Amino acid sequence: MPTLVKQAAAAVGGLLLVALVAWIAWLWNESRIPGTYSVMDYGVVDYGGGSVPRGGHADHIHGGMSVVDLRGPAGKANDRFTLVAEKAKVRLGSGRTIDAFTFNGTVPGPELRVKQGDLVEVTLVNKDVSSGVTIHWHGVDVPNADDGVAGVTQNAVLPGQRYVYRFRVNQVGTFWYHTHQVSSKEVARGLYGAFVIEPREAPTHPGLDLTLIAHTFDAFPALGLDTGLGVRAVRPGTPVRLRLVDSDSTPQRFVLSGTRFRVLALDGTDLHGPQLIANETVEVPAGGRADLGFTMPRAPVRLSLDQTRAGLALSPDGKAEPPAAPAGPLFDPTTYGVPAPTPFGLSSHFDRRFELSIGQKFGFLDGKPGRHWSIDGHVYPDVPIFVVEKRDLVEVTIENHTHSVHPMHLHGQHVLVLSRDGRPISGSPWWPDTLEVKPHESYVVAFRAENPGIWMDHCHNLVHAVAGLTMHLVYAGVTTPFDVGGMADNEPE
Ligand code: C2O
Ligand code: CU
């Protein structure tokens, strides 16, 4: 090659290299998340093919209603609780002691029981959790200011501070509460508890009604704090309801042996016409709940957390320790129970239709190169913001193009599942708040937009959420005065 051509080629090559480096530097710089920012200023606004609200996006950033005004009703509360967040040592059933974050000194925090229709008031006090604390009422469709998301609906409550949550409970069922500040770490360390809404009328035969929260402490799986087999005496003929909660970031499988049983409710919503089943393993997604019901037989019954030593044995004398049964086929909520009329369905006219497609992508996340979670092809914070208007009928298609399980949780509303992998739901209506989307599955879900606010929609594998699997559903016209990061150190994930 003549020298001149060689030199020219080298020059072009050099320029390309400089351009490539400059482009990567630009991508890197673009991906950096400022120290303080509003979740409304990021993201790609998506109207789901529906009408653009008056004034468009700028209007709902700068005009309209603030989340702080979306509060529960005034008036005298029927139930008042105080939850004090504090560091404490707690002892697992195995005798091992762990450094925990607690509500009122215990893990799980106290179980709060209220009645449907109650006005509930909870005062959160942070004694000494230096990273700050909030309380999110997982699955309870509270007003937005009571949703407990640091940097979106409130500031994190720092040591010495307090925050009062007030909301009326119109649902019935099993819920839970947990901190939504640095949640990937603080929930793992114990800042959670059960929240049970009982029907107004007490049942005539109350029986045994027990909440069991599955949680893994430093790799030790437990029910409550019990890492082994708990035993309990129950008279044959007693109606039993076991409220199973998964406060971990991965699914938990429960095996119930020695009796036939029904799955009475999922995520705090009763199922219609639940049949008796046996030997099926019930998988509860991270953040999800399942209520199992049966009548206590004469022989012992055992509930086990599959592949662990943790479990509960019920028997007439409270002494039996039946062996763990092997796992059976997985319970399938899409075919269980009996269909019933629903307020909308696959053939409804939707005002907006969104896609929430989960993938992975090479790029930068806050300046860190790697293969990151993506939503609709974008890495956080450039993920979509779904904008809706009050009363819209909204459809969301969730697709998982990754090899991981993603328990997707939308705050503030329950969604009706319409189909999975293109097959319509054939059993009871199913209204999850935490929908486990397995690798390569797709779901079509729908909801009526009736609870104005700015609502997180994220993966409840909190390790994924903090790594960018987080986005927001925004009602047009609602704004937030709070920022993520900054003085208050709001870090919701
Ligand atoms: Cu249970 Cu946003 O979480
Ligand atoms: Cu995930």
Side-chain angles (χ1 to χ4, degrees), residues 34-308:
T36 306
Y37 67 103
S38 165
V39 294
M40 303 288 288
D41 291 342
Y42 275 86
V44 181
V45 173
D46 182 347
Y47 296 108
S51 62
V52 176
R54 202 159 35 84
H57 184 47
D59 201 42
H60 42 89
I61 290 178
H62 302 294
M65 171 167 300
S66 167
V67 299
V68 297
D69 298 322
L70 296 166
R71 297 239 57 176
K76 191 170 174 318
N78 305 87
D79 312 273
R80 309 181 91 172
F81 304 100
T82 300
L83 292 176
V84 179
E86 57 184 305
K87 289 190 266 189
K89 291 204 186 300
V90 298
R91 183 179 282 268
L92 299 181
S94 60
R96 190 188 170 85
T97 300
I98 51 166
D99 283 311
F101 291 152
T102 69
F103 284 119
N104 298 1
T106 68
V107 176
E111 177 170 323
L112 308 184
R113 284 209 174 223
V114 301
K115 289 232 178 313
Q116 184 183 29
D118 279 2
L119 181 58
V120 180
E121 183 179 295
V122 182
T123 303
L124 164 65
V125 179
N126 182 1
K127 193 166 156 208
D128 58 5
V129 176
S130 55
S131 44
V133 180
T134 65
I135 300 178
H136 169 59
W137 308 93
H138 184 118
V140 186
D141 299 334
V142 298
N144 201 206
D146 299 288
D147 197 40
V149 179
V152 180
T153 64
Q154 67 171 98
N155 282 324
V157 177
L158 298 176
Q161 298 179 337
R162 58 181 57 216
Y163 189 91
V164 179
Y165 299 90
R166 282 173 73 83
F167 49 89
R168 194 172 296 285
V169 289
N170 297 312
Q171 298 152 276
V172 176
T174 309
F175 302 90
W176 65 301
Y177 62 88
H178 62 79
T179 181
H180 222 306
Q181 161 75 351
V182 201
S183 49
S184 56
K185 295 196 179 111
E186 291 187 358
V187 175
R189 282 187 67 180
L191 285 176
Y192 61 86
F195 186 75
V196 176
I197 309 174
E198 298 175 343
R200 196 78 254 164
E201 305 299 332
T204 27
H205 296 288
L208 175 66
D209 181 325
L210 208 59
T211 310
L212 296 158
I213 306 185
H215 195 82
T216 305
F217 298 92
D218 305 334
F220 292 95
L223 288 176
L225 288 175
D226 246 321
T227 46
L229 185 68
V231 293
R232 198 163 172 131
V234 185
R235 212 158 26 82
T238 306
V240 178
R241 185 178 193 116
L242 301 178
R243 303 173 185 268
L244 311 179
V245 183
D246 180 2
S247 57
D248 269 343
S249 273
T250 49
Q252 292 279 12
R253 292 186 171 182
F254 291 89
V255 180
L256 183 59
S257 55
T259 181
R260 297 200 295 165
F261 62 97
R262 297 174 209 272
V263 179
L264 299 174
L266 292 173
D267 287 2
T269 308
D270 283 349
L271 298 179
H272 184 249
Q275 299 96 350
L276 277 170
I277 53 174
N279 302 322
E280 285 184 36
T281 293
V282 177
E283 181 167 277
V284 181
R289 288 86 61 215
D291 292 19
L292 311 186
F294 56 91
T295 303
M296 183 63 198
R298 290 181 188 287
V301 168
R302 175 169 174 151
L303 176 80
S304 315
L305 200 50
D306 193 28
Q307 308 288 337
T308 79

Side-chain angles (χ1 to χ4, degrees), residues 193-480:
F195 186 75
V196 176
I197 309 174
E198 298 175 343
R200 196 78 254 164
E201 305 299 332
T204 27
H205 296 288
L208 175 66
D209 181 325
L210 208 59
T211 310
L212 296 158
I213 306 185
H215 195 82
T216 305
F217 298 92
D218 305 334
F220 292 95
L223 288 176
L225 288 175
D226 246 321
T227 46
L229 185 68
V231 293
R232 198 163 172 131
V234 185
R235 212 158 26 82
T238 306
V240 178
R241 185 178 193 116
L242 301 178
R243 303 173 185 268
L244 311 179
V245 183
D246 180 2
S247 57
D248 269 343
S249 273
T250 49
Q252 292 279 12
R253 292 186 171 182
F254 291 89
V255 180
L256 183 59
S257 55
T259 181
R260 297 200 295 165
F261 62 97
R262 297 174 209 272
V263 179
L264 299 174
L266 292 173
D267 287 2
T269 308
D270 283 349
L271 298 179
H272 184 249
Q275 299 96 350
L276 277 170
I277 53 174
N279 302 322
E280 285 184 36
T281 293
V282 177
E283 181 167 277
V284 181
R289 288 86 61 215
D291 292 19
L292 311 186
F294 56 91
T295 303
M296 183 63 198
R298 290 181 188 287
V301 168
R302 175 169 174 151
L303 176 80
S304 315
L305 200 50
D306 193 28
Q307 308 288 337
T308 79
R309 293 156 177 274
L312 175 68
L314 307 177
S315 61
D317 64 2
K319 293 201 182 89
E321 297 194 1
L330 272 194
F331 168 77
D332 181 358
T334 67
T335 55
Y336 181 73
V338 176
T342 52
F344 38 82
L346 276 169
S347 58
S348 297
H349 167 79
F350 291 97
D351 301 294
R352 298 174 197 276
R353 310 177 98 117
F354 295 99
E355 280 227 355
L356 200 171
S357 170
I358 303 165
Q360 276 180 302
K361 198 181 159 179
F362 283 100
F364 293 103
L365 173 69
D366 198 9
K368 284 187 282 299
R371 190 146 182 260
H372 298 296
W373 302 117
S374 65
I375 302 178
D376 296 348
H378 299 279
V379 171
Y380 190 87
D382 289 322
V383 291
I385 294 178
F386 292 168
V387 178
V388 299
E389 292 179 285
K390 199 170 176 196
R391 280 178 288 279
D392 280 349
L393 189 57
V394 181
E395 183 196 86
V396 184
T397 300
I398 308 171
E399 291 178 1
N400 180 356
H401 298 284
T402 74
H403 300 297
S404 310
V405 173
H406 301 296
M408 297 306 292
H409 172 49
L410 172 62
H411 287 207
Q413 23 261 307
H414 279 71
V415 299
L416 177 66
V417 179
L418 303 181
S419 68
R420 181 178 68 198
D421 296 337
R423 270 186 308 279
I425 298 307
S426 60
S428 162
W430 175 28
W431 295 88
D433 52 55
T434 315
L435 178 63
E436 181 164 282
V437 189
K438 297 201 169 80
H440 309 293
E441 275 184 344
S442 73
Y443 279 92
V444 178
V445 303
F447 64 95
R448 174 77 67 187
E450 281 171 323
N451 195 7
I454 301 174
W455 302 102
M456 271 185 123
D457 190 355
H458 64 94
C459 180
H460 223 285
N461 182 327
L462 299 174
V463 179
H464 294 178
V466 74
L469 249 187
T470 296
M471 55 167 293
H472 295 84
L473 168 78
V474 173
Y475 282 61
V478 180
T479 66
T480 178

